[in-house]
Amino acid sequence: QLCELYPTDFVLFQRFLSSLIHMFKKSYTAQGQNLLSKKDLKALKSQLCELYPSLTEKEVDEILPEGQAKVVKLDNRCLLYSAGDAPAAFFDAEGRSELYPTLYTLWQYPHIMQELTIHPPVSKFVLNGADLMLPGVLVPANGVVGFGTVTKGQPRCIKIDGNPYAIAVGRMLVNQTQMEKLKGKGMEVLHVYKDGLWAQCGKVKPNAGFTEEEEVAPCSES
């Protein structure tokens, strides 16, 4: 079945499994943390609202309340943003102001991020650390236009067909024209279910489709 889903790209998938390691696949440690000043928090919230237009100011205030919001610096160059003792809410992949929601946040606010939907069997590749290959992406009912505007570097999440919750977060590696061809590697995966950041956030599972099995399964629970 997977060979049918991936035609000639199936071999590439196998290579990626052995060669690709995203930033939270390996262990990491915190190097320090600081409370965010009012000025820094205001700038952070402004950037989040700009990156994720569906995220309201009220929701950002709920996630990162003033006086509690802090930043933790990791030894893999990543920055984690959280409030008090709550799990990390957002991460800056390489300390370059490229902000992404953690799965913990995305499961609470699933509307904030654009998505790509994949065939369920493809999820085991993503969970094992591979980037997303476009032949495994499902085309929306209204065709490629249903992907919306695609730009290189754009943050997106990955869901499986039949489950409303994201399994991974990453950034697009292709533009609109390349996306519509549905060939090759399309998204760099930065954070995925069962990685170190997911574990740090409490090993939460959003519904019964998320198990210890090698694939995430369809599940309509919300």
Side-chain angles (χ1 to χ4, degrees), residues 12-26 125-133 173 185-190 192:
L12 291 177
F13 237 124
Q14 293 178 312
R15 292 175 182 171
F16 285 134
L17 283 178
S18 61
S19 64
L20 293 177
I21 301 176
H22 59 80
M23 65 178 56
F24 299 116
K25 197 71 173 178
K26 287 185 174 182
F125 293 99
V126 177
L127 297 187
N128 279 325
D131 288 336
L132 179 62
M133 302 296 287
L173 296 172
K185 184 165 62 171
M187 179 192 286
E188 179 183 6
V189 174
L190 300 173
V192 65

Side-chain angles (χ1 to χ4, degrees), residues 23 47 71 73-74 76-81 91-100 171:
M23 65 178 56
Q47 186 179 2
V71 58
K73 183 178 181 180
L74 305 182
N76 62 2
R77 298 188 298 175
C78 179
L79 302 176
L80 302 181
Y81 293 94
F91 65 96
D92 183 341
E94 297 174 325
R96 298 178 180 176
S97 297
E98 296 180 6
L99 297 166
Y100 303 85
R171 57 188 165 208

Side-chain angles (χ1 to χ4, degrees), residues 85-122:
D85 295 326
F90 296 93
F91 65 96
D92 183 341
E94 297 174 325
R96 298 178 180 176
S97 297
E98 296 180 6
L99 297 166
Y100 303 85
T102 61
L103 288 174
Y104 179 84
T105 296
L106 197 53
W107 292 339
Q108 296 178 75
Y109 303 90
H111 63 283
I112 69 175
M113 199 174 201
Q114 290 180 284
E115 65 195 60
L116 293 177
T117 302
I118 62 174
H119 301 277
V122 179

